[in-house]
Amino acid sequence: MIKLIVSDMDGTLLNEEIELSDENLAAIKDAQAHGIHFAIATGRDYQTGYTIVQERGINCSFFGLNGAIGYDEEGNRLYTKNLKPSTVQTLLDVLDRDDVHVNIMTDKGVYSTNYEREREYLRHVLSDINKTLAPERLEEKLDLFLEQHSITYLDNFQELIRRDDEEILKVSAQTTAGEEMLTELKDSLLQAADDIVITASSAMNLEINHKDATKGFAVATYARELGIDHTEVLTIGDNINDLSMLEWAEHGTAMSNAAPEAKETAAYETGSNSEHGVAQIINRVLAGEIY
């Protein structure tokens, strides 16, 4: 019997308009009404992630920045898994290239060093995740995303690294140089630091967290606190940063728009994010087809 459902956001719960559809909303509320726990596990931070579901009337636990930080249903922080300052400096040294843009996410906000590059690369990432989004709508969503993120722009990241009142939870690197370049960067980063894990939320980025900061860790920890076994958990995702939770849960589910690696890892496949795939798989659970 499924007792816990955990969903990714971009490319999964959110449709091509980067919105929570009425169909997905209804299915989640129906699941909760049947006593099934629901939670979010996303690469987004709390501000830009939880707000979307909260505004639609969903209260749930939230695991952000790929599992580096967790919140309960009341918005209370449960834990953080931060990167050491020395590790962050090592990462920045490796990523110091003209064709790579970096931003840093902490427990207090998002930081970048260049607005134009931030906007350019975010445009590429959003269009990669939401391939059917019309160009004019993409620009509107981009403006909204940047407004919601409240990104702080710094001359460099050195002051941020030295702060003792802020925890660095994720370093994100974006490039349009292609898959070979990303593979080269990933190999170099893993050789330089042994306390990290590297995933991705699109074909144009790398997301670097503490080695214990994964969605799989977050879901496993949450399930254990609820007294729920992995055989009673269904997870839903579409990309590389979802692999750990798709593998951990017995009922891992990939979207039809998911990366090949996600489909290979998952036990089930559902419709795309534009077809309300989250609602489809939840309705199968409620109908007793998956248990």
Side-chain angles (χ1 to χ4, degrees), residues 259-272:
E261 296 91 336
K263 292 183 178 181
E264 291 168 5
T265 302
Y268 304 97
E269 184 172 328
T270 188
S272 70

Side-chain angles (χ1 to χ4, degrees), residues 226-239:
L226 294 173
I228 295 174
D229 189 75
H230 75 103
T231 60
E232 301 169 309
V233 179
L234 184 142
T235 54
I236 317 167
D238 74 303
N239 224 309

Side-chain angles (χ1 to χ4, degrees), residues 54-81:
Q54 188 179 46
E55 288 178 346
R56 299 299 304 277
I58 295 176
N59 291 318
C60 65
S61 294
F62 180 93
F63 303 98
L65 304 180
N66 295 333
I69 190 166
Y71 297 88
D72 65 17
E73 295 179 358
E74 305 302 321
N76 300 307
R77 186 187 299 186
L78 299 173
Y79 70 85
T80 57
K81 293 289 182 180

